[in-house]
Structure formats: structure tokens, C-alpha cells
Amino acid sequence: MSLSDSDREVVVDELGREPTPAETALFENLWSEHCAYRSSRPLLSAFDSESDQVVIGPGDDAAVVALPEPSGDGNSETYITMGVESHNHPSYVDPFDGAATGVGGIVRDTLSMGAYPIALLDSLYFGNFDREHSRYLLDGVVEGISHYGNCIGVPTVGGSVDFHERYEGNPLVNVACVGLTNEDRLITAVAQEPGNKLVLLGNATGRDGLGGASFASEDLSEDAETEDRPAVQVGDPYSEKLLIEANEKLVEDNLVESARDLGAAGLGGASSELVAKGGLGADIDLEAVHQREPNMNALEILLAESQERMCYEVTPENVDRVAEVAERFDLGCSVIGDVTDTGRYVCRFEDEVAVDAPAEFLGDGAPMNDLDHVEPQQPERDLPDVAVEDAFEAVVGSPSTASKRWVYRQYDHEVGVRTSVPPGDDAAVLAIRETEGDDGVGTGLALSSGAAPNWTETAPYDGARAVALENATNIAAKGATPLAAVDCLNGGNPEKPEVYGGFKGIVDGLADMCSELSVPVVGGNVSLYNDSPTGPIPPTPTLAMTGTKAGYDAPPLAADADAEVLLVGDRGIAEGTPRLGGSEYLAQFGGTDAFPDLPERPAVLVETLADVSDRDSTTAVHDVSHGGLAVSLAEMVTETAGLDVSLPGEAPLAELFHEQPGRAIVATTDPEAVEDAFDGIAPVERLGTGTAGGELTIDVGDETVRSDAETIAERRDVIERELD
């Protein structure tokens, strides 16, 4: 990818001359879609990013949100950071290193805010599981994530895995990170004062990852796995661990004025953005950068995306102390230049000026794209005719709805001793003991992450609204109230009107539902040009959401033999018109349908579900979404507890397999109290009871589905069975 003729004209007009080779490459990368959001920025104003808890919203390396007091009486002095990143193209070319360095990058974004990383969530999307290449990518990506995360000691506590044929030529790897900080530790990526020094700390700079930002801003070609290998970075988690601890020491000793992770566009991106955000400039000596390869030129030093590096603004009197910290942790350290008051970004190399451009123009001067779009249309109803028992076996055993234990068992989710609810549940819960008062009650932090490609392929706008609601329902099922979210918006080539129409739909849908739920979207990432010879990906709005509750306990997902089983919020059954659009059932058997209607009062429903989930009479809660009611019921069955339930049976297949979000199965010893709580808010159906044996019986009309824990587990172990 090279600087376009139209962009070159803009640059020449601003500089008053032709750009140098280093400037040309710098503009090419910083003005790429990956960095400048040229096609998406006009749409992102749809998101509401403000609330009483938001300390720092979009625009920094990570967002900062204040946790409420466990008592609910105002905000605590404890902050979390939230960020999300995509490493899609690199993970196709080199699944291990591509995914691993995605983890490293989002962790360093957390460090940039003065925070310590406490949790990772990864949402992964691949082509159909029956394709050998999809399984190869899955294996490599999971190994890369687990290796890097486990080595640096940050638990991976949640996420999602989906399979869809349109990811075959372009998988998605979206990784979110949550960190912990407070007001005294907080730093930002905004340069503070002329005369301060710019210090590069971490691994030495090599030639790996050159042009990574521009590589991420174009369609993948058929030979990408070989031709684009130099654009993929190589990670070193052991250096990252040292960097995490060194950063912690620098923050504790108040030695840093501002910070920026070296990610996309390398040193040129990090240092120019740091000073531009402060309305300042920089004067950098590229030869001062510590390097691991000989004869590197100015362009290579500027744009290499070598990993495990940070750029710090440091006062002159603290430079020696920063160098001492670097030496203590066996990390490289270079004083590479000064913060200036000129507003210009200047880089010198071998007694010549390699770059001299306005810093703000580098970061924000890219012209925005004005693209045509076509509004997506929902499909008409054309349903397959399948026996209920056959449908149950296929949907419960589908890789997209099946157990992901093979994935999360490779992640160390207990390191850090905060994980109260581990992976495999609707949401993870972490213990934030820093918020504990005299009563010993602290804040439980619930986390959920994911999207639903079948939903957003069928109906981008309503599907994205459903993604937001499902994540909120996951959090409420653990008794927590949604706090904030970050998004990773993935789309195909935006220059195709139908692709841009779908992308616009997911942006608006996600924004509207998050607004309805009063969940601020405090940051995120955009990844476009996820297009390949196999076609564009489905529009994919990954959402990572946090929520809070008093205490760390949560109701389990598993069935209770001594409780009644209720279904909350099912509009399809209540109104007799379940729609199957976007369902795994249709993905398995073909056919089309419109997407289900969503709840009329989603915010109140989520709030009420959180309250009901926290009651002593509630013994289990599980959201209903992917795979429909059939999958949720099957997931609740254990060797010691089963379910015996009945549905109205007017439309058996639709009732079992439609995927309207905003629903939950509640096991309770006080069903009347649950019905009273949701009165006027959402329908409540009494389905049946728990049983002492590990059997599942579903009566639906004249049909009966019977299975048991062992059979269900065998069907749901399809990923583990194929990959072990």
C-alpha cells in the first residue's frame, strides 16, 4: 500500500514541498484506515460515551472508569481501564504470533494509563469448523493467546468463539483488557510540558512489523500467508512481563508525565500522537534509538512495529531514575529526543532532517471518506422442515454453540487470585478487593465479551442491538449491573456500498441499544478491509462489557434439582410469533427468516434480572441466546441435576431454536416472587422443575426431546474431540 495521489497532494500543499521517503511512509501509515478511521470516524459520533463513572473516554490508549462503592453510595477511589484491539490480518498470516502480539498490544495500552492489567477477554471468529484451514487457525490463535497471556501472568477470563463460512479467508481476533488504577496513579497519552525528554523503554527495535498499519488497511490477498509475513510482529512475553513490572515501578514512583504504547506505525505513531494530543511538538534523534539489527534507515526505525516497547515523557531530572528502573528489569532504554513548543514533529538521522511536519497534521490531517451505502434488507420467511430431535442434536452439537472448554482450559484464568466466576459461565466475575470497606464487602466486577455473526449478517442494525443486550443480560445473570463497554467494530471493504451499509447498521444498532441500557461506550477499535478472495466478513460488532455488584458471589449456571424453572422475557412464545432469523438452526439446515423482535423495555429488564439473580431464593440463572432455548437448557444439565420442562408447542421448532436476546432461565424456590418482579416488564413462563438425575426432558406440543448429561456432553465436546 502506498500514499494515494490525492493524499500526496494534501501533504504537498501542507508542507510546501515533496515529502521525504520517511515522511511519505509515515503519512501512509498514520493516514491508513487502521490508524485514522477515515471511513468509520464519521459514524462514531453515534455512541454516547459519558456517565458519572467515566473518567477518561474515547481517544486515549484505554478508557478509565470509576467503580461504584459496593454500597452503591457514589463512586469509589478505584478505577478500571478498558480497551479492546483487533489483530485480524496478522492472525491469518501467522496465527500464533499474530494473536500473541494482539494480547501484548492491548496490555501495553493498559500500562499507558498507569494501570496494572488484571484480566483479558478474547473473541475469536473463524471459517466453518469442518475446514482444515479453520482448525489450523483456531489452534494457532488459541496457542498464541494462551502462551502470551499465561507468560505475562494476566488471566484470560472470558470471551467467545464463533464459526461462519465468511471468515474462511479472514479470521478475526479481538482482545480486550481490563486494568486497575486510581486517581493518584493515572497518566495519559497527552504530552505535558516542553523541555521534557522522550524516553524509549523496552525491547530493541528491529525490522519486524514494517508497514503493519497499512497492511491492516487493505484486503487480504490469496498469497497473504507468504507475501505479508514481514508485516507481522514477533512477540516476547517474557520481555512484556518485565515491562509490566517496570511500568508499575515508574508509576508508583511518579516518574512518568505521559506514556504511549508503540503499536501501529511504531515509534513514529506513538511519539507523534503523544505530542500532538498535547498541542506540542517533538525533536527526535533516530540514531539514539536502541536497535537490534544493523544498518537500519530512518524509515525502518520510525515504522518498525517491534513489540514490548513504550514511549514515555519524562522530566529531565527523572531521566536517570527511569534508566535505573530499566536496568533493574533488564530492559533497553534510550533518551531519543525532546518535547518542544513548536508544534512540529521533527526526526533527524545521520545529520539530515528525515521528517519535519506539523504533529497535529500527521495525526488528524487525513481527509475523511464520504462513502455510499446500501441499507440492508431483512430476509423473507423460508423455513426448512426438520424433525425436532434431529434439530436438537445438530444445534446442540454445532461448533458455534458447543462447549469452548478446549479453548479456555489452555488459559490460566486463576493467576492473580481474583477470579470468582471462571470462564464457561455467562460472564466472569473478578474480586476487586481494593474497594472493600469495614464490612469486608468489595465490588465484584462482571465481564462479558462477544458478538453474533449470524445475527448481524441477517439484520446488521437489530443484530447489533441484540449483541449489546445479550452482553448486558450475561452480566445481569450474575447479579451485576452494566457499567461501561468498549467495542471492536469489524467490517469488510467499506468501498463496497452493501458492505458499508452493513457496517453502518452495526454501528447505529450498537450505539442505540447501549444508549437504551445507559451503558456508555467509552472506547474501542475499528477494523475494516476484512475482505479476501472468499468475500467480506459478516459485519461483526464485538462488545466487551463490564458490570458491578456488591460482593463476589454469583448464582451458578447449572440446574438445581430442588427448584422451579422459569423462562423470563420470551416475546416470541408469549406472542405466538417466534422468528428464527439469525439462528444456529437456520445456519445448520438452511432457510431464512426475519430477526426476532427485542424486548420493549430492555434497561428495566436487565436491572430486574440483576436484582432477581442476587436473591437467596434464586439458585441458578442462565441467559438464552445462541442456539436458543434448547442449547441453554442443555447447558444447564449436569450429572447430578437435570430438567423436566414443557413448552406451549404452537411452533415447536421456533420455540426451541429462536434466538431473541434479553431472555433468561431462572431456577428459583420462589417463582411467585420472580413473576411479581417482572410484572409489567417482561413475560414469565413456568417451564417445569429441576430433577435429581442428570436427564433433560423437553415436552413441546406433541413432541418430546430426551437426553442426558453424558450424551449432551459428548455432543458438546465436538471441538475438543476434533483438536485433541
Side-chain angles (χ1 to χ4, degrees), residues 163-250:
F163 301 93
H164 190 290
E165 62 183 358
R166 287 172 60 185
Y167 296 120
E168 173 60 30
N170 197 133
L172 303 182
V173 175
N174 297 171
V175 182
C177 184
V178 175
L180 202 61
T181 188
N182 57 44
E183 184 177 3
D184 293 336
R185 294 167 50 92
L186 190 61
I187 54 179
T188 69
V190 180
Q192 300 295 306
E193 191 73 32
N196 285 340
K197 298 295 182 178
L198 293 175
V199 178
L200 183 63
L201 194 147
N203 271 349
T205 298
R207 292 184 171 89
D208 50 317
L210 274 170
S214 57
F215 161 60
S217 303
E218 57 189 5
D219 296 349
L220 283 171
S221 62
E222 288 188 28
D223 55 3
E225 290 176 285
T226 53
E227 293 297 318
D228 293 319
R229 183 63 185 82
V232 179
Q233 311 92 333
V234 178
D236 177 3
Y238 303 105
S239 292
E240 180 96 349
K241 178 59 175 175
L242 295 173
L243 190 58
I244 291 171
E245 300 307 326
N247 187 80
E248 185 72 1
K249 179 63 175 173
L250 296 175

Side-chain angles (χ1 to χ4, degrees), residues 78-247:
T78 303
Y79 299 164
I80 61 168
T81 61
M82 299 176 64
V84 65
E85 186 63 83
S86 62
H87 242 221
N88 303 334
H89 284 27
S91 297
Y92 177 81
V93 174
D94 181 346
F96 180 88
D97 282 318
T101 51
V103 173
I106 196 61
V107 167
R108 291 192 301 277
D109 284 342
T110 303
L111 304 184
S112 298
M113 309 306 295
Y116 196 89
I118 62 170
L120 293 162
L121 303 100
D122 53 86
S123 290
L124 314 175
Y125 309 86
F126 302 97
N128 284 339
F129 185 70
D130 60 4
R131 299 289 296 272
E132 182 179 354
H133 190 247
S134 298
R135 297 195 297 272
Y136 155 76
L137 292 173
L138 170 65
D139 195 16
V141 164
V142 170
E143 185 182 3
I145 291 171
S146 63
H147 174 69
Y148 206 100
N150 294 352
C151 288
I152 64 176
V154 180
T156 301
V157 299
S160 60
V161 183
D162 285 277
F163 301 93
H164 190 290
E165 62 183 358
R166 287 172 60 185
Y167 296 120
E168 173 60 30
N170 197 133
L172 303 182
V173 175
N174 297 171
V175 182
C177 184
V178 175
L180 202 61
T181 188
N182 57 44
E183 184 177 3
D184 293 336
R185 294 167 50 92
L186 190 61
I187 54 179
T188 69
V190 180
Q192 300 295 306
E193 191 73 32
N196 285 340
K197 298 295 182 178
L198 293 175
V199 178
L200 183 63
L201 194 147
N203 271 349
T205 298
R207 292 184 171 89
D208 50 317
L210 274 170
S214 57
F215 161 60
S217 303
E218 57 189 5
D219 296 349
L220 283 171
S221 62
E222 288 188 28
D223 55 3
E225 290 176 285
T226 53
E227 293 297 318
D228 293 319
R229 183 63 185 82
V232 179
Q233 311 92 333
V234 178
D236 177 3
Y238 303 105
S239 292
E240 180 96 349
K241 178 59 175 175
L242 295 173
L243 190 58
I244 291 171
E245 300 307 326
N247 187 80

Side-chain angles (χ1 to χ4, degrees), residues 486-523:
V486 290
D487 58 30
C488 194
L489 304 170
N490 305 271
N493 186 333
E495 298 163 42
K496 301 175 181 178
E498 68 280 4
V499 169
Y500 196 55
F503 182 77
K504 182 178 184 301
I506 63 171
V507 172
D508 291 342
L510 212 59
D512 286 352
M513 181 54 77
C514 286
S515 180
E516 285 186 64
L517 296 170
S518 298
V519 176
V521 179
V522 293

